[in-house]
Amino acid sequence: MLKIAIPNKGSLSEEARALISEAGYNCKRYSRELKVTDVANQVEFIFLRPRDIAVYVQSGIIDLGITGRDLAMDSESEVDELLPLGFGRSSFCYAVPEESLLTPEGFKGKRIATSYPGIVSRDLKNRNIDAKIIKLDGAIEISINLGVADAIADVVQTGRTMVEAGLRISGEPIMVSEGILATRKGRGDNLTAPEQVFIERLKGIVVAREYVMVEYDVPGDVLETACAVTPGIEAPTVAPLRREGWFAVKAMARKKELNSIMDRLAEVGAKGIIVTDIRTCRL
């Protein structure tokens, strides 16, 4: 039976369970179960601490695991990233007091507080900087104010928490993280059929979330111009309407470009522009 690890709590857990459910698997917990078995798909979902998942995957006890890229890297586990999942996006950055001119290049001999010593240690080594890493489990932002550290390294999403603590980001992000699907290092080319099915189902949903379906009617004299706005994946679907000289067009488009696409279609004379979400797809 395929064993897949899911974070047991937090936003990563919620997003992972929603994604897996959309893919047609049953991973619903009714209380605080540590395991849920999907008999129909022969999959056992195991709920673990997000920080521990990469460790279990590396050991081979778990076949696949969903965790954060930052957590997997910090654990220093030997795993391969199979699929970025598009949720839980964040940056991992250094931060210093707002008034400080300190940059990562000047961290030699300084104290850096973090909950991710593995990531920071690797980055400092790459920079050839000898600094003291202070491992904390939470409330990293206040460590400078309390005199424990000179700088911090932490996950940043909106940056609001750091601003409220009187800090500013120093230097470029160390890494950009998001939820990922991982397996033991070296297994990527030797996955089982059930594992490949699981990956393809998740990939279909992740890709679909980046796209929408755009449909509209357009007169024939501007059909080519409109199709250039919505070229689709291979080509748009075009069908003649009962109204002579008019055509119905249907094409996938990137969600982030949607408003611009609708503006351009309206400008060329398209009518009845309709946009719908796509639940899943295979490109």
Side-chain angles (χ1 to χ4, degrees), residues 50-55 58 67-81 92 115-124 126 173-178 180 182:
R51 283 185 172 274
D52 296 338
I53 287 177
V55 177
Q58 173 190 255
T67 186
R69 183 180 293 129
D70 52 351
L71 296 173
M73 182 177 292
D74 190 61
S75 73
E76 299 183 333
S77 299
E78 295 292 318
V79 298
D80 285 334
E81 181 177 323
F92 192 82
S115 297
Y116 299 79
I119 295 177
V120 176
S121 176
R122 181 181 303 181
D123 182 68
L124 292 176
N126 290 338
I174 302 172
M175 65 172 296
V176 176
S177 182
E178 65 182 296
I180 62 169

Side-chain angles (χ1 to χ4, degrees), residues 222-282:
V222 294
L223 175 61
E224 292 303 319
T225 303
C227 287
V229 176
T230 57
I233 303 303
E234 301 295 339
T237 299
V238 179
L241 293 176
R242 185 173 182 180
R243 180 180 176 182
E244 186 174 352
W246 279 73
F247 296 85
V249 181
K250 186 175 184 178
M252 287 176 64
R254 288 196 174 274
K255 187 177 292 186
K256 64 182 180 181
E257 301 170 1
L258 175 59
N259 289 311
S260 173
I261 288 172
M262 292 186 72
D263 292 340
R264 292 158 64 192
L265 288 175
E267 288 173 2
V268 302
K271 303 294 183 183
I273 306 171
I274 299 173
V275 177
T276 54
D277 287 329
I278 304 171
R279 292 189 60 186
T280 187
C281 65
R282 303 287 175 97

Side-chain angles (χ1 to χ4, degrees), residues 10-50:
S11 59
L12 279 179
S13 177
E14 295 171 6
E15 294 276 11
R17 285 186 285 115
L19 178 62
I20 291 169
S21 295
E22 282 190 61
Y25 295 89
N26 175 28
C27 62
K28 184 176 181 180
R29 299 169 83 187
Y30 292 93
S31 183
R32 301 181 67 180
E33 301 96 325
L34 297 180
K35 295 191 293 185
V36 173
T37 301
D38 182 345
V39 177
N41 290 294
Q42 286 294 288
V43 179
E44 189 173 63
F45 294 102
I46 303 170
F47 294 85
L48 301 170
R49 291 179 69 248

Side-chain angles (χ1 to χ4, degrees), residues 62-282:
I62 300 295
D63 300 305
L64 304 173
I66 293 178
T67 186
R69 183 180 293 129
D70 52 351
L71 296 173
M73 182 177 292
D74 190 61
S75 73
E76 299 183 333
S77 299
E78 295 292 318
V79 298
D80 285 334
E81 181 177 323
L82 297 173
L83 181 68
L85 300 176
F87 58 76
R89 289 188 173 121
S90 62
S91 297
F92 192 82
C93 305
Y94 290 115
V96 298
E98 183 65 42
E99 68 279 3
S100 173
L101 300 178
L102 191 62
T103 66
E105 289 70 27
F107 282 169
K108 183 177 180 180
K110 301 297 184 181
R111 301 163 300 166
I112 303 172
T114 185
S115 297
Y116 299 79
I119 295 177
V120 176
S121 176
R122 181 181 303 181
D123 182 68
L124 292 176
K125 184 177 180 180
N126 290 338
R127 297 174 188 265
N128 196 28
I129 292 175
D130 182 18
K132 182 178 181 181
I133 297 175
I134 299 173
K135 185 180 182 305
L136 299 176
D137 289 329
I140 306 299
E141 294 83 2
I142 201 172
S143 63
I144 297 177
N145 184 263
L146 294 177
V148 174
D150 302 297
I152 69 169
D154 204 7
V155 174
V156 177
Q157 291 181 316
T158 65
R160 182 179 302 173
T161 303
M162 286 195 178
V163 171
E164 291 174 350
L167 305 177
R168 66 171 180 83
I169 292 173
S170 179
E172 295 296 317
I174 302 172
M175 65 172 296
V176 176
S177 182
E178 65 182 296
I180 62 169
L181 179 68
T183 191
R184 190 171 72 253
K185 193 170 185 64
R187 286 196 67 234
D189 295 329
N190 298 291
L191 298 174
T192 64
E195 288 173 315
Q196 291 172 341
V197 169
F198 183 79
I199 293 168
E200 288 304 315
R201 287 190 185 185
L202 263 57
K203 185 185 297 184
I205 296 168
V206 171
V207 171
R209 289 175 176 177
E210 301 291 327
Y211 288 87
V212 291
M213 188 66 72
V214 180
E215 301 176 66
Y216 56 90
D217 299 337
V218 67
D221 59 342
V222 294
L223 175 61
E224 292 303 319
T225 303
C227 287
V229 176
T230 57
I233 303 303
E234 301 295 339
T237 299
V238 179
L241 293 176
R242 185 173 182 180
R243 180 180 176 182
E244 186 174 352
W246 279 73
F247 296 85
V249 181
K250 186 175 184 178
M252 287 176 64
R254 288 196 174 274
K255 187 177 292 186
K256 64 182 180 181
E257 301 170 1
L258 175 59
N259 289 311
S260 173
I261 288 172
M262 292 186 72
D263 292 340
R264 292 158 64 192
L265 288 175
E267 288 173 2
V268 302
K271 303 294 183 183
I273 306 171
I274 299 173
V275 177
T276 54
D277 287 329
I278 304 171
R279 292 189 60 186
T280 187
C281 65
R282 303 287 175 97

